[in-house]
Amino acid sequence: MKNIKKIIIVFTIIIVSVVLIRYVYNYSNNSNIGYKGSLPKVGAAIYKYDDEFMSYIRNSMEDASYGKIALIMNDSQNDENIQLMQIDEMISKGVCALAINLVNPKAAQIVIDKAKAWDLPVIFFNKEPDASVLNSYNKAWFVGTDSKESGILQGKMIVDLWNQNKSKWDKNHDGKISYVLLKGEPGHPDAKARSKYALDEIRKAGIPVEKLDEATAMWDAAKAKEKMDGWISKYNNKIEFVISNNDVMALGAIDSLEKNGYLSGNKFIPVVGIDAIPDAIKKIKEGKMVGTILNDANIQGKAIIDLVTNAAKGKNVFNGTSWRGNSDKSVRIHYVIIIKDNIDEAEQAYK
Protein backbone atom coordinates (compact mmCIF):
# COMPACT_ATOMS: atom_id res chain seq x y z
CA MET A 1 0.00 0.00 0.00
CA LYS A 2 2.86 2.37 0.94
CA ASN A 3 4.57 1.58 -2.35
CA ILE A 4 1.40 2.45 -4.27
CA LYS A 5 1.19 5.81 -2.44
CA LYS A 6 4.84 6.50 -3.23
CA ILE A 7 4.24 5.67 -6.90
CA ILE A 8 1.21 7.98 -6.99
CA ILE A 9 3.21 10.82 -5.35
CA VAL A 10 6.14 10.34 -7.73
CA PHE A 11 3.79 10.18 -10.71
CA THR A 12 2.03 13.38 -9.55
CA ILE A 13 5.37 15.16 -9.16
CA ILE A 14 6.37 14.09 -12.67
CA ILE A 15 3.08 15.41 -14.16
CA VAL A 16 3.38 18.72 -12.31
CA SER A 17 7.00 19.04 -13.41
CA VAL A 18 6.08 18.37 -17.05
CA VAL A 19 3.29 20.98 -16.88
CA LEU A 20 5.64 23.55 -15.32
CA ILE A 21 8.38 22.83 -17.85
CA ARG A 22 5.84 23.15 -20.67
CA TYR A 23 4.56 26.45 -19.24
CA VAL A 24 8.09 27.84 -18.97
CA TYR A 25 8.82 26.66 -22.51
CA ASN A 26 5.66 28.27 -23.82
CA TYR A 27 6.41 31.47 -21.95
CA SER A 28 9.93 31.71 -23.32
CA ASN A 29 8.74 30.91 -26.85
CA ASN A 30 5.63 33.10 -26.63
CA SER A 31 3.50 30.50 -28.40
CA ASN A 32 0.26 30.32 -26.41
CA ILE A 33 0.17 33.23 -24.02
CA GLY A 34 -0.97 36.83 -24.29
CA TYR A 35 2.46 38.45 -23.99
CA LYS A 36 5.72 38.32 -25.89
CA GLY A 37 8.19 39.35 -23.25
CA SER A 38 6.64 42.44 -21.70
CA LEU A 39 4.53 43.31 -24.77
CA PRO A 40 0.92 42.19 -25.28
CA LYS A 41 0.36 40.19 -28.44
CA VAL A 42 -2.08 41.72 -30.92
CA GLY A 43 -3.38 39.94 -34.02
CA ALA A 44 -3.99 42.02 -37.15
CA ALA A 45 -5.28 41.20 -40.62
CA ILE A 46 -5.16 43.30 -43.80
CA TYR A 47 -7.71 42.37 -46.45
CA LYS A 48 -4.90 42.19 -49.06
CA TYR A 49 -1.30 43.33 -48.94
CA ASP A 50 -1.13 44.36 -52.58
CA ASP A 51 -3.72 47.10 -52.14
CA GLU A 52 -1.39 50.10 -52.35
CA PHE A 53 -3.26 52.32 -49.93
CA MET A 54 -3.56 49.53 -47.35
CA SER A 55 0.19 48.95 -47.64
CA TYR A 56 0.70 52.49 -46.26
CA ILE A 57 -1.67 51.83 -43.36
CA ARG A 58 0.15 48.56 -42.65
CA ASN A 59 3.54 50.31 -42.64
CA SER A 60 2.21 52.98 -40.30
CA MET A 61 0.79 50.33 -37.95
CA GLU A 62 4.08 48.46 -37.85
CA ASP A 63 6.03 51.64 -37.11
CA ALA A 64 3.56 52.80 -34.44
CA SER A 65 3.50 49.40 -32.73
CA TYR A 66 7.24 49.33 -32.05
CA GLY A 67 7.88 49.01 -28.31
CA LYS A 68 4.14 49.02 -27.51
CA ILE A 69 2.78 45.68 -28.67
CA ALA A 70 3.92 42.48 -30.38
CA LEU A 71 2.01 42.79 -33.66
CA ILE A 72 1.15 39.60 -35.56
CA MET A 73 0.26 40.77 -39.08
CA ASN A 74 -1.57 38.71 -41.72
CA ASP A 75 -2.32 39.07 -45.43
CA SER A 76 -5.89 37.80 -45.97
CA GLN A 77 -5.39 37.78 -49.78
CA ASN A 78 -8.87 39.24 -50.33
CA ASP A 79 -10.37 35.90 -49.23
CA GLU A 80 -12.97 35.91 -46.44
CA ASN A 81 -12.37 32.26 -45.51
CA ILE A 82 -8.61 32.79 -45.26
CA GLN A 83 -9.19 35.79 -43.00
CA LEU A 84 -11.53 33.89 -40.67
CA MET A 85 -8.98 31.05 -40.39
CA GLN A 86 -6.26 33.59 -39.64
CA ILE A 87 -8.40 35.05 -36.84
CA ASP A 88 -8.89 31.56 -35.36
CA GLU A 89 -5.14 30.98 -35.52
CA MET A 90 -4.33 34.31 -33.86
CA ILE A 91 -6.79 33.56 -31.08
CA SER A 92 -5.18 30.13 -30.60
CA LYS A 93 -1.82 31.91 -30.20
CA GLY A 94 -3.22 33.82 -27.25
CA VAL A 95 -3.50 37.35 -28.61
CA CYS A 96 -4.87 39.99 -26.24
CA ALA A 97 -6.75 41.93 -28.94
CA LEU A 98 -7.54 41.96 -32.66
CA ALA A 99 -7.23 44.68 -35.34
CA ILE A 100 -9.14 43.68 -38.46
CA ASN A 101 -9.42 45.20 -41.93
CA LEU A 102 -12.35 43.12 -43.16
CA VAL A 103 -12.31 41.36 -46.51
CA ASN A 104 -16.10 41.44 -46.40
CA PRO A 105 -17.79 43.99 -44.10
CA LYS A 106 -20.78 41.67 -43.88
CA ALA A 107 -18.60 39.14 -42.03
CA ALA A 108 -18.14 41.53 -39.09
CA GLN A 109 -20.67 39.62 -36.96
CA ILE A 110 -18.71 36.39 -37.41
CA VAL A 111 -15.52 38.15 -36.30
CA ILE A 112 -17.27 39.65 -33.29
CA ASP A 113 -18.68 36.24 -32.32
CA LYS A 114 -15.17 34.78 -32.40
CA ALA A 115 -13.72 37.66 -30.35
CA LYS A 116 -16.61 37.67 -27.89
CA ALA A 117 -16.17 33.97 -27.14
CA TRP A 118 -12.71 34.80 -25.77
CA ASP A 119 -13.61 38.22 -24.35
CA LEU A 120 -11.18 39.83 -26.81
CA PRO A 121 -11.48 43.47 -27.89
CA VAL A 122 -11.51 44.06 -31.64
CA ILE A 123 -10.66 47.23 -33.58
CA PHE A 124 -12.07 47.21 -37.10
CA PHE A 125 -10.45 49.62 -39.54
CA ASN A 126 -10.81 51.01 -43.08
CA LYS A 127 -13.83 48.84 -43.98
CA GLU A 128 -16.68 49.78 -41.67
CA PRO A 129 -19.02 47.17 -40.19
CA ASP A 130 -22.73 47.80 -39.97
CA ALA A 131 -23.56 50.02 -36.98
CA SER A 132 -25.88 47.44 -35.40
CA VAL A 133 -23.10 44.83 -35.50
CA LEU A 134 -20.54 47.20 -33.99
CA ASN A 135 -22.97 48.15 -31.23
CA SER A 136 -23.65 44.50 -30.40
CA TYR A 137 -20.29 44.15 -28.60
CA ASN A 138 -18.98 46.59 -26.01
CA LYS A 139 -15.37 45.75 -26.89
CA ALA A 140 -15.62 46.60 -30.61
CA TRP A 141 -14.65 49.92 -32.25
CA PHE A 142 -13.96 51.28 -35.72
CA VAL A 143 -11.10 53.48 -36.95
CA GLY A 144 -11.46 55.04 -40.38
CA THR A 145 -12.94 57.88 -42.31
CA ASP A 146 -16.36 59.20 -43.24
CA SER A 147 -16.97 57.96 -46.78
CA LYS A 148 -19.56 60.69 -47.34
CA GLU A 149 -16.96 63.37 -46.54
CA SER A 150 -14.56 62.08 -49.21
CA GLY A 151 -17.29 62.21 -51.86
CA ILE A 152 -18.38 65.69 -50.84
CA LEU A 153 -14.81 67.03 -50.94
CA GLN A 154 -14.11 65.38 -54.29
CA GLY A 155 -17.27 66.99 -55.65
CA LYS A 156 -16.29 70.43 -54.31
CA MET A 157 -12.84 70.04 -55.82
CA ILE A 158 -14.30 69.14 -59.22
CA VAL A 159 -16.62 72.18 -59.08
CA ASP A 160 -13.75 74.57 -58.31
CA LEU A 161 -11.44 73.09 -60.94
CA TRP A 162 -14.18 73.03 -63.59
CA ASN A 163 -15.14 76.65 -62.97
CA GLN A 164 -11.48 77.71 -63.27
CA ASN A 165 -10.85 75.73 -66.48
CA LYS A 166 -14.27 75.50 -68.12
CA SER A 167 -13.19 77.27 -71.33
CA LYS A 168 -10.51 74.60 -71.90
CA TRP A 169 -12.25 71.49 -70.55
CA ASP A 170 -15.81 71.91 -71.87
CA LYS A 171 -15.08 70.44 -75.28
CA ASN A 172 -18.55 70.90 -76.82
CA HIS A 173 -19.30 74.12 -74.89
CA ASP A 174 -22.65 72.85 -73.63
CA GLY A 175 -21.94 73.76 -69.99
CA LYS A 176 -22.25 70.12 -68.86
CA ILE A 177 -19.54 67.86 -67.48
CA SER A 178 -19.55 64.72 -69.61
CA TYR A 179 -17.86 62.20 -67.33
CA VAL A 180 -16.85 58.58 -66.86
CA LEU A 181 -16.76 57.08 -63.38
CA LEU A 182 -14.38 54.40 -62.06
CA LYS A 183 -15.93 52.70 -59.04
CA GLY A 184 -14.42 50.48 -56.33
CA GLU A 185 -15.72 47.04 -55.47
CA PRO A 186 -19.51 46.49 -55.56
CA GLY A 187 -21.21 46.93 -52.18
CA HIS A 188 -18.20 48.63 -50.59
CA PRO A 189 -19.50 51.57 -48.49
CA ASP A 190 -16.66 53.84 -49.67
CA ALA A 191 -17.39 53.14 -53.33
CA LYS A 192 -21.10 53.85 -52.91
CA ALA A 193 -20.64 57.03 -50.86
CA ARG A 194 -17.83 58.48 -52.96
CA SER A 195 -19.77 57.97 -56.18
CA LYS A 196 -23.03 59.41 -54.86
CA TYR A 197 -21.82 62.43 -52.92
CA ALA A 198 -19.26 63.63 -55.47
CA LEU A 199 -21.96 63.87 -58.13
CA ASP A 200 -24.51 65.31 -55.68
CA GLU A 201 -22.07 68.11 -54.82
CA ILE A 202 -21.51 68.97 -58.50
CA ARG A 203 -25.24 69.15 -59.14
CA LYS A 204 -25.73 71.19 -55.97
CA ALA A 205 -23.31 73.78 -57.40
CA GLY A 206 -25.59 74.15 -60.42
CA ILE A 207 -23.35 72.33 -62.88
CA PRO A 208 -25.24 69.83 -65.06
CA VAL A 209 -23.61 66.45 -65.59
CA GLU A 210 -23.83 63.81 -68.28
CA LYS A 211 -22.77 60.27 -67.44
CA LEU A 212 -21.13 58.72 -70.47
CA ASP A 213 -20.27 55.52 -68.61
CA GLU A 214 -19.31 53.98 -65.28
CA ALA A 215 -17.68 50.70 -64.34
CA THR A 216 -16.36 48.77 -61.39
CA ALA A 217 -12.57 48.44 -61.45
CA MET A 218 -12.17 46.91 -57.96
CA TRP A 219 -9.68 49.60 -56.75
CA ASP A 220 -7.21 48.13 -59.29
CA ALA A 221 -5.00 50.06 -61.78
CA ALA A 222 -4.90 47.35 -64.44
CA LYS A 223 -8.67 46.95 -64.45
CA ALA A 224 -9.11 50.73 -64.59
CA LYS A 225 -6.72 50.99 -67.54
CA GLU A 226 -8.70 48.32 -69.38
CA LYS A 227 -11.98 50.19 -68.76
CA MET A 228 -10.42 53.50 -69.85
CA ASP A 229 -9.04 51.94 -73.04
CA GLY A 230 -12.58 50.85 -73.93
CA TRP A 231 -14.09 54.24 -73.14
CA ILE A 232 -11.52 56.12 -75.24
CA SER A 233 -12.34 53.86 -78.18
CA LYS A 234 -16.10 54.17 -77.63
CA TYR A 235 -16.47 57.87 -76.83
CA ASN A 236 -13.44 59.33 -78.64
CA ASN A 237 -13.28 63.04 -77.70
CA LYS A 238 -16.56 63.25 -75.77
CA ILE A 239 -15.02 62.51 -72.34
CA GLU A 240 -14.51 65.73 -70.36
CA PHE A 241 -13.75 64.34 -66.90
CA VAL A 242 -12.56 61.09 -65.31
CA ILE A 243 -13.84 60.67 -61.75
CA SER A 244 -12.27 57.83 -59.79
CA ASN A 245 -13.17 56.40 -56.38
CA ASN A 246 -9.45 56.08 -55.57
CA ASP A 247 -6.01 57.09 -56.82
CA VAL A 248 -4.91 53.63 -57.92
CA MET A 249 -7.74 53.44 -60.48
CA ALA A 250 -7.08 57.07 -61.45
CA LEU A 251 -3.46 56.13 -62.20
CA GLY A 252 -4.66 53.25 -64.37
CA ALA A 253 -6.86 55.69 -66.29
CA ILE A 254 -3.94 58.11 -66.69
CA ASP A 255 -1.77 55.31 -68.06
CA SER A 256 -4.43 54.62 -70.69
CA LEU A 257 -4.87 58.30 -71.55
CA GLU A 258 -1.12 58.85 -71.94
CA LYS A 259 -0.71 55.84 -74.22
CA ASN A 260 -3.60 57.07 -76.36
CA GLY A 261 -2.09 60.51 -76.84
CA TYR A 262 -4.14 62.44 -74.30
CA LEU A 263 -3.17 64.65 -71.31
CA SER A 264 -1.53 67.30 -73.47
CA GLY A 265 -2.68 70.32 -75.46
CA ASN A 266 -6.34 70.41 -76.48
CA LYS A 267 -6.66 66.66 -75.83
CA PHE A 268 -6.23 67.11 -72.09
CA ILE A 269 -8.80 65.25 -69.91
CA PRO A 270 -8.84 66.04 -66.17
CA VAL A 271 -8.58 63.08 -63.79
CA VAL A 272 -9.30 63.10 -60.05
CA GLY A 273 -8.94 60.41 -57.40
CA ILE A 274 -9.01 59.86 -53.64
CA ASP A 275 -6.21 58.91 -51.18
CA ALA A 276 -3.31 61.18 -52.21
CA ILE A 277 -0.86 58.29 -52.48
CA PRO A 278 2.71 59.24 -53.51
CA ASP A 279 2.32 58.13 -57.15
CA ALA A 280 -0.77 60.33 -57.49
CA ILE A 281 1.05 63.26 -55.90
CA LYS A 282 3.78 62.82 -58.51
CA LYS A 283 1.22 62.92 -61.34
CA ILE A 284 -0.33 66.10 -59.93
CA LYS A 285 3.11 67.71 -59.86
CA GLU A 286 3.63 66.67 -63.49
CA GLY A 287 0.26 68.16 -64.47
CA LYS A 288 -1.16 64.78 -65.55
CA MET A 289 -3.70 64.58 -62.70
CA VAL A 290 -5.62 67.59 -61.42
CA GLY A 291 -6.47 66.63 -57.86
CA THR A 292 -7.10 64.07 -55.16
CA ILE A 293 -8.38 63.83 -51.60
CA LEU A 294 -5.89 63.08 -48.83
CA ASN A 295 -6.84 59.95 -46.92
CA ASP A 296 -4.12 60.03 -44.27
CA ALA A 297 -2.85 56.45 -43.93
CA ASN A 298 -0.16 57.46 -41.45
CA ILE A 299 -2.61 59.03 -38.99
CA GLN A 300 -5.03 56.11 -39.37
CA GLY A 301 -2.29 53.58 -38.63
CA LYS A 302 -1.30 55.46 -35.47
CA ALA A 303 -4.91 55.68 -34.29
CA ILE A 304 -5.44 51.93 -34.84
CA ILE A 305 -2.35 51.07 -32.79
CA ASP A 306 -3.19 53.55 -30.01
CA LEU A 307 -6.65 52.06 -29.56
CA VAL A 308 -5.69 48.40 -29.89
CA THR A 309 -2.73 48.85 -27.49
CA ASN A 310 -5.01 50.20 -24.77
CA ALA A 311 -7.58 47.51 -25.52
CA ALA A 312 -4.95 44.76 -25.25
CA LYS A 313 -3.89 46.11 -21.85
CA GLY A 314 -7.46 46.18 -20.58
CA LYS A 315 -7.59 49.99 -20.51
CA ASN A 316 -10.10 52.44 -21.91
CA VAL A 317 -9.20 52.61 -25.63
CA PHE A 318 -8.80 56.40 -25.49
CA ASN A 319 -6.63 56.44 -22.38
CA GLY A 320 -3.63 58.76 -22.85
CA THR A 321 -4.44 59.45 -26.52
CA SER A 322 -5.61 62.52 -28.42
CA TRP A 323 -8.42 60.57 -30.09
CA ARG A 324 -12.06 61.13 -29.24
CA GLY A 325 -14.71 58.56 -29.97
CA ASN A 326 -17.99 59.33 -31.68
CA SER A 327 -21.42 58.13 -30.63
CA ASP A 328 -21.22 55.41 -33.30
CA LYS A 329 -18.15 53.87 -31.59
CA SER A 330 -15.76 55.24 -34.20
CA VAL A 331 -12.68 57.40 -34.58
CA ARG A 332 -12.92 59.39 -37.82
CA ILE A 333 -9.90 60.81 -39.62
CA HIS A 334 -10.78 63.83 -41.76
CA TYR A 335 -10.03 64.11 -45.48
CA VAL A 336 -8.26 67.05 -47.14
CA ILE A 337 -8.55 68.37 -50.72
CA ILE A 338 -5.18 68.20 -52.50
CA ILE A 339 -4.38 70.11 -55.69
CA LYS A 340 -1.08 71.39 -57.06
CA ASP A 341 -1.21 74.49 -54.82
CA ASN A 342 -1.07 72.51 -51.54
CA ILE A 343 0.73 69.36 -52.67
CA ASP A 344 3.22 69.74 -49.78
CA GLU A 345 0.44 68.83 -47.33
CA ALA A 346 0.08 65.41 -48.93
CA GLU A 347 3.84 64.94 -49.19
CA GLN A 348 4.19 65.62 -45.48
CA ALA A 349 1.57 62.97 -44.67
CA TYR A 350 3.61 60.30 -46.45
CA LYS A 351 7.05 61.55 -45.46
Side-chain angles (χ1 to χ4, degrees):
M1 190 71 178
K2 286 182 180 181
N3 287 336
I4 293 173
K5 284 182 179 180
K6 284 181 180 178
I7 291 170
I8 292 171
I9 290 169
V10 170
F11 187 67
T12 302
I13 291 170
I14 291 170
I15 291 174
V16 171
S17 298
V18 168
V19 170
L20 286 172
I21 290 168
R22 184 172 177 79
Y23 176 81
V24 171
Y25 176 81
N26 283 341
Y27 186 86
S28 62
N29 286 275
N30 311 297
S31 57
N32 289 301
I33 55 170
Y35 277 71
K36 182 176 181 179
S38 61
L39 302 178
K41 290 197 290 188
V42 169
I46 301 289
Y47 94 100
K48 65 171 184 174
Y49 275 10
D50 60 1
D51 180 305
E52 187 171 352
F53 178 71
M54 291 312 302
S55 73
Y56 292 113
I57 287 187
R58 174 164 58 96
N59 290 342
S60 176
M61 288 173 65
E62 289 173 344
D63 288 346
S65 69
Y66 184 76
K68 294 180 180 177
I69 55 174
L71 190 63
I72 303 169
M73 192 72 82
N74 292 269
D75 177 5
S76 298
Q77 302 166 49
N78 204 23
D79 187 310
E80 181 182 337
N81 291 325
I82 288 176
Q83 185 167 79
L84 294 175
M85 286 190 290
Q86 288 170 339
I87 290 168
D88 287 337
E89 185 179 352
M90 289 187 289
I91 290 173
S92 75
K93 289 181 177 179
V95 295
C96 298
L98 295 167
I100 306 297
N101 168 222
L102 292 160
V103 170
N104 177 10
K106 292 180 180 177
Q109 188 62 63
I110 300 172
V111 176
I112 281 180
D113 290 343
K114 290 177 181 293
K116 204 171 185 178
W118 294 90
D119 197 34
L120 291 175
V122 55
I123 307 297
F124 293 103
F125 61 96
N126 182 254
K127 292 189 183 182
E128 187 171 0
D130 185 83
S132 62
V133 176
L134 202 61
N135 286 323
S136 71
Y137 185 36
N138 67 336
K139 292 188 176 184
W141 296 269
F142 172 71
V143 174
T145 53
D146 182 346
S147 302
K148 178 179 177 181
E149 182 187 34
S150 64
I152 289 171
L153 291 182
Q154 190 184 55
K156 286 181 182 295
M157 177 176 63
I158 291 168
V159 168
D160 289 342
L161 291 168
W162 178 260
N163 286 335
Q164 292 165 24
N165 298 279
K166 186 176 176 180
S167 61
K168 294 182 292 182
W169 294 354
D170 188 5
K171 292 183 170 62
N172 57 4
H173 307 291
D174 64 354
K176 293 189 292 189
I177 299 178
S178 300
Y179 71 92
V180 291
L181 175 64
L182 289 163
K183 302 171 74 172
E185 64 187 287
H188 193 296
D190 284 356
K192 290 192 288 185
R194 291 174 182 183
S195 301
K196 171 181 165 48
Y197 289 104
L199 292 166
D200 283 355
E201 203 64 29
I202 298 167
R203 294 187 187 101
K204 194 188 296 183
I207 301 173
V209 293
E210 177 190 12
K211 182 178 76 175
L212 295 176
D213 223 322
E214 65 176 44
T216 294
M218 298 297 290
W219 312 116
D220 184 83
K223 289 182 174 64
K225 181 183 180 300
E226 182 183 340
K227 299 296 181 185
M228 196 71 225
D229 284 343
W231 289 337
I232 290 170
S233 176
K234 183 176 181 181
Y235 299 107
N236 198 8
N237 290 319
K238 292 181 181 178
I239 301 171
E240 296 174 335
F241 226 110
V242 179
I243 304 171
S244 176
N245 282 172
N246 80 340
D247 283 346
V248 173
M249 294 187 296
L251 292 168
I254 288 169
D255 188 25
S256 171
L257 288 165
E258 284 189 286
K259 287 180 179 176
N260 282 281
Y262 287 81
L263 300 185
S264 63
N266 60 1
K267 293 189 75 175
F268 184 81
I269 297 176
V271 180
V272 292
I274 293 175
D275 287 336
I277 61 174
D279 284 345
I281 295 167
K282 182 180 176 183
K283 291 296 182 184
I284 293 172
K285 278 184 158 184
E286 293 172 354
K288 294 174 181 176
M289 183 170 171
V290 297
T292 185
I293 306 297
L294 175 61
N295 186 2
D296 199 323
N298 187 38
I299 295 296
Q300 286 184 58
K302 289 177 180 177
I304 294 159
I305 294 302
D306 283 349
L307 265 64
V308 81
T309 298
N310 278 331
K313 293 178 179 179
K315 299 178 181 179
N316 181 298
V317 291
F318 303 112
N319 185 59
T321 75
S322 60
W323 312 112
R324 294 293 175 266
N326 298 306
S327 58
D328 60 356
K329 299 185 71 182
S330 73
V331 170
R332 305 282 178 179
I333 311 301
H334 289 296
Y335 289 95
V336 180
I337 291 174
I338 299 294
I339 56 175
K340 203 166 188 177
D341 293 346
N342 69 331
I343 202 77
D344 59 322
E345 198 167 343
E347 288 178 317
Q348 191 62 35
Y350 284 93
K351 192 172 181 180

